[in-house]
Amino acid sequence: MKYLNVSKAKSVYAAGGNVTEFLRKETGSPVNTSEIIEIAYDLQAGSYIEGVQANMGQAKAYAGELAGLLAPHMEDGKTLLDVGTGEMTTLSLLLASLDQKIGTAFAFDISWSRLYKGLGFSRSLLKDQSSLITPFVADMKAIPLADKCIDVVTSNHALEPNGGNLSGLLTELFRVCREKLVLFEPSYELNSDEGRQRMDRLGYIKDIEGAVAKLGGSLLDVVPVPNVANPLNPTACYVIEPAKNDFLSVGPSGERAAFTVPGTAFELMKTDGFWYSKETGLAFPELKGIPVLKSDNGILASHLG
Ligand SMILES: C[S@@+](CC[C@H](N)C(=O)[O-])C[C@H]1O[C@@H](n2cnc3c(N)ncnc32)[C@H](O)[C@@H]1O
């Protein structure tokens, strides 16, 4: 990881400023890099839980709408992956209102602190059902899961800040997804002029339809979500079939997904509290029960195994 002095970013956050905008200026980057996104969101850890607890009715109504849009694409026993899950607030509320009994919900975020806070929220809301969720730290551009091991991939405003790399992220989501992606993301195309200007200023994604087509995927449907919190950032549900890729082997649905070296098919096994790959000799840490599986967290330890 490139180190940045986060104290200035903390002051910007405390004063209600936009941290990604500040860090882009500070680092001279035209786009939100993974490091910028990680810092900006890690500083906010806990704030979404507070927001949801203060507006539980609105949060439940929104998650209920998402569950209704996801339901036709889910069946009992299927594997779900929530990318950029944050504090697991939307995922937990969505699982609470989904009729299907999903097999496993994998959930990752680039920020460890947000997942750590989120574990407490999901346990208090879902009780025993929270054990369905397997959380881990990862960057969407190199997901530590094997090819085609997830039935349905979902997101809620998570691809959003990655305006500089939408195609890269979709390529990786297509790699791990076996059946469908049901993404709840802001729609630039359905937005007002004022909303588009805001999305441009914040480095948000646009033209999901064009990016999916370029990669050989199929956009099956785009449905505006009625219950949006911010009219300048309207959510749409994008139902996408991943590109067919003959080079990737597709295992049977229900096969247990395993962690891998980020962005590859090299499997990781748990050894002495670390996640270890025999083939690459890389070990990845686990902090408070949360595996930290980002490429730059790999430690070359060829003698560990
Ligand atoms: C607007 S928040 C939404 C969080 C959550 N989905 C929800 O509904 O509350 C965006 C989340 O996506 C995560 N995120 C953005 N880009 C990411 C990336 N490239 N890899 C992993 N997580 C990412 C951020 O860390 C943040 O927690």
Side-chain angles (χ1 to χ4, degrees):
M1 175 174 192
K2 287 189 209 106
Y3 295 96
L4 286 174
N5 184 341
V6 296
S7 51
K8 277 199 222 162
K10 267 189 185 166
S11 320
V12 172
Y13 178 61
N18 186 280
V19 179
T20 52
E21 215 171 355
F22 165 77
L23 289 172
R24 264 185 283 132
K25 279 202 195 111
E26 189 82 348
T27 58
S29 170
V31 295
N32 294 323
T33 58
S34 295
E35 287 81 12
I36 289 176
I37 291 171
E38 181 177 358
I39 293 170
Y41 279 103
D42 205 80
L43 291 182
Q44 301 178 32
S47 62
Y48 279 39
I49 294 173
E50 282 168 21
V52 162
Q53 280 165 345
N55 295 290
M56 192 51 99
Q58 154 78 15
K60 277 188 176 166
Y62 179 69
E65 273 170 15
L66 303 199
L69 289 160
L70 181 64
H73 311 287
M74 278 311 282
E75 285 164 31
D76 287 354
K78 295 257 171 184
T79 310
L80 183 71
L81 169 67
D82 185 31
V83 302
T85 194
E87 294 157 29
M88 295 193 263
T89 46
T90 309
L91 175 65
S92 304
L93 291 165
L94 185 150
L95 290 179
S97 62
L98 196 69
D99 288 336
Q100 288 88 346
K101 288 193 173 50
I102 60 152
T104 305
F106 286 91
F108 74 80
D109 200 274
I110 202 162
S111 156
W112 179 87
S113 303
R114 299 202 79 198
L115 290 175
Y116 184 59
K117 294 267 181 188
L119 274 173
F121 179 84
S122 75
R123 280 181 194 138
S124 71
L125 187 90
L126 296 171
K127 311 280 186 275
D128 290 352
Q129 217 201 339
S130 67
S131 61
L132 283 179
I133 304 178
T134 300
F136 55 101
V137 178
D139 187 337
M140 227 183 292
K141 68 185 184 201
I143 300 174
L145 291 172
D147 303 341
K148 303 288 169 198
C149 69
I150 298 291
D151 294 313
V152 177
V153 172
T154 193
S155 68
N156 180 50
H157 289 261
L159 280 73
E160 178 178 280
N162 296 270
N165 193 19
L166 176 60
S167 294
L169 300 194
L170 284 173
T171 303
E172 191 56 356
L173 298 184
F174 285 2
R175 179 181 71 77
V176 299
C177 179
R178 189 187 282 126
E179 293 178 5
K180 267 182 208 162
L181 299 96
V182 182
L183 306 179
F184 301 98
E185 291 293 337
S187 169
Y188 189 84
E189 292 66 35
L190 298 175
N191 212 341
S192 60
D193 284 346
E194 191 189 352
R196 286 182 185 190
Q197 278 169 24
R198 177 180 177 274
M199 288 179 77
D200 285 335
R201 197 182 70 243
L202 296 176
Y204 283 7
I205 53 168
K206 59 175 92 164
D207 194 18
I208 293 182
E209 184 167 0
V212 167
K214 258 194 210 145
L215 295 171
S218 311
L219 183 62
L220 305 181
D221 210 355
V222 183
V223 186
V225 176
N227 200 335
V228 289
N230 180 359
L232 292 178
N233 205 28
T235 314
C237 170
Y238 294 86
V239 183
I240 301 165
E241 226 168 50
K244 304 260 176 297
N245 190 331
D246 296 339
F247 296 108
L248 302 181
S249 62
V250 182
S253 176
E255 194 178 45
R256 172 92 192 141
F259 289 135
T260 61
V261 172
T264 78
F266 294 120
E267 201 166 320
L268 293 170
M269 305 295 284
K270 192 133 181 226
T271 311
D272 293 337
F274 279 81
W275 289 90
Y276 185 65
S277 148
K278 257 198 306 203
E279 288 88 350
T280 64
L282 287 171
F284 292 83
E286 184 170 303
L287 189 57
K288 293 266 186 198
I290 304 173
V292 183
L293 307 176
K294 289 187 297 155
S295 303
D296 50 8
N297 296 125
I299 302 160
L300 183 61
S302 58
H303 283 56
L304 183 69

